Amino acid sequence: MAEHDVDTSAATAVVDAAPADRRGDGVLARVRAGAGELTGALRRVAEHVLSDPEAAARATIVELAERSGTSPATITRFCRAMGFEGYADLRLGIAAETGRARSAGWTVDIGREIQPGDPLSRVLDQIMAADTRAMHDTAALLDLAEVERAAVAIAGANRVNIFGASGSALVGEEMQFSLHRIGVAAWAWSDVHEGLASAALLGVGDVALGISHTGQTRETIELLAEAGSRGATTVALTGFPRSPLAELADIVLVTASQATTFRPDALSARHPQLVVLDLLYIAVAQRTHDRAHAAFRRTAQAVDGHKAAKGSLS
């Protein structure tokens, strides 16, 4: 009937994926983030739970084992890997989360393929539901103590380097712009040669932020490693807390994503990434209030003359 393979190493890999005091939230986000690190039977359980969370919440442990082609013992190990004492706690967590999502209107066919003939109203509902779910999952996964550490480091930094490739580079440029407006010496680098040259000049008291949803982008890993080797505090923004990028960083900020048609994980992660970086930016501004307020006022005044006067375009 069911197999009994033991994935003990994978089972312990994601136990600490979320802060202990927030285990009632973001159950599916934790499963989604940890699924890539699981193997064999444990991974099949994760995939089955994610494919139909409401059915998983209604199933007994034996039913879930049969549907996922595993065993009750594997289900128990999976529960522990997700930070729950047993299957009853996991079921309650999933049921509570799907219930909240349903009442908030986030479950409008999330995961359904967008068809060429779908009206734009349907597509809009799909995107809004997916993004809303990803935002709430990110809030549940995010360790605010890590955000605090990153904000303190950036607020006191001599300079901040931000590294990212492709779409992550665009997100990094948004963060650089925000920090620059409040007087933080920040640079965003997407070219690996220029980034390495800049990273080599960092030192103790500086900060390097690497952005990669998968945490496996080789260039970003190399840039963050170079900065860390020079003594800079390293921060990773990623969707995978056990990824190579996260493993080498001093501080890890985790985001969730909810893929839709034409927007795979790497693209759908953009809005949650921006939310986390916006939170980090505000936290830095709070800790440098007087300097930030003065810098923001001066930068606003500097560009004010380039705004069209009211009535001039009529």
Side-chain angles (χ1 to χ4, degrees):
M1 177 184 77
E3 61 180 62
H4 299 270
D5 39 336
V6 179
D7 290 306
T8 53
S9 60
T12 58
V14 293
V15 170
D16 297 322
D21 61 341
R22 305 180 76 187
R23 291 196 187 278
D25 296 324
V27 178
L28 298 177
R30 272 186 276 149
V31 174
R32 200 173 292 114
E37 298 159 6
L38 301 176
T39 58
L42 289 176
R43 180 156 189 166
R44 288 203 299 279
V45 176
E47 291 172 348
H48 186 79
V49 168
L50 292 173
S51 69
D52 194 347
E54 293 190 0
R58 293 192 300 268
T60 66
I61 189 170
V62 173
E63 289 171 340
L64 184 59
E66 290 178 345
R67 293 172 187 174
S68 59
T70 62
S71 69
T74 299
I75 303 299
T76 299
R77 288 195 299 275
F78 173 78
C79 293
R80 290 172 181 163
M82 294 297 106
F84 292 92
E85 293 184 1
Y87 183 55
D89 289 336
L90 177 68
R91 285 181 67 186
L92 287 173
I94 296 174
E97 187 170 338
T98 55
R100 286 194 300 270
R102 190 166 51 250
S103 64
W106 308 339
T107 57
V108 183
D109 289 340
I110 291 180
R112 171 189 175 274
E113 289 292 313
I114 296 174
Q115 302 300 324
D118 283 349
L120 286 181
S121 60
R122 176 70 148 165
V123 175
L124 176 61
D125 287 344
Q126 192 83 348
I127 292 173
M128 291 295 292
D131 279 359
T132 301
R133 182 59 174 271
M135 300 288 191
H136 282 266
D137 284 352
T138 294
L141 285 173
L142 191 61
D143 187 341
L144 295 181
E146 291 286 271
V147 178
E148 176 85 25
R149 289 180 61 206
V152 169
I154 292 173
N158 297 314
R159 59 184 291 162
V160 177
N161 271 5
I162 303 170
F163 305 123
S166 190
S168 295
L170 300 177
V171 174
E173 288 173 4
E174 287 277 345
M175 184 60 169
Q176 186 271 338
F177 173 77
S178 297
L179 291 176
H180 189 71
R181 286 294 302 270
I182 59 172
V184 176
W187 288 263
W189 304 99
S190 57
D191 180 87
V192 67
H193 289 195
E194 293 177 349
L196 281 172
S198 184
L201 297 176
L202 297 180
V204 176
D206 296 324
V207 174
L209 167 63
I211 304 171
S212 170
H213 172 65
T214 63
Q216 296 181 4
T217 303
R218 188 176 303 168
E219 293 85 352
T220 306
I221 294 169
E222 184 180 0
L223 291 165
L224 203 66
E226 175 65 26
S229 73
R230 303 293 177 174
T233 298
T234 53
V235 183
L237 179 67
T238 180
F240 296 87
R242 303 286 180 177
S243 63
L245 185 70
E247 291 289 350
L248 67 84
D250 300 313
I251 300 169
V252 180
L253 308 179
V254 181
T255 61
S257 63
Q258 182 69 57
T260 58
T261 310
F262 307 119
R263 291 201 313 163
D265 283 340
L267 290 178
S268 62
R270 181 173 53 200
H271 291 153
Q273 286 173 338
L274 288 171
V275 167
V276 172
L277 290 179
D278 202 30
L279 174 64
L280 179 57
Y281 154 70
I282 294 296
V284 172
Q286 287 179 312
R287 285 152 186 77
T288 59
H289 180 271
D290 292 343
R291 184 185 76 185
H293 185 72
F296 205 85
R297 185 177 62 252
R298 289 199 302 271
T299 54
Q301 289 173 345
V303 301
D304 193 55
H306 289 267
K307 295 179 180 178
K310 290 182 179 179
S312 64
L313 299 180
S314 59

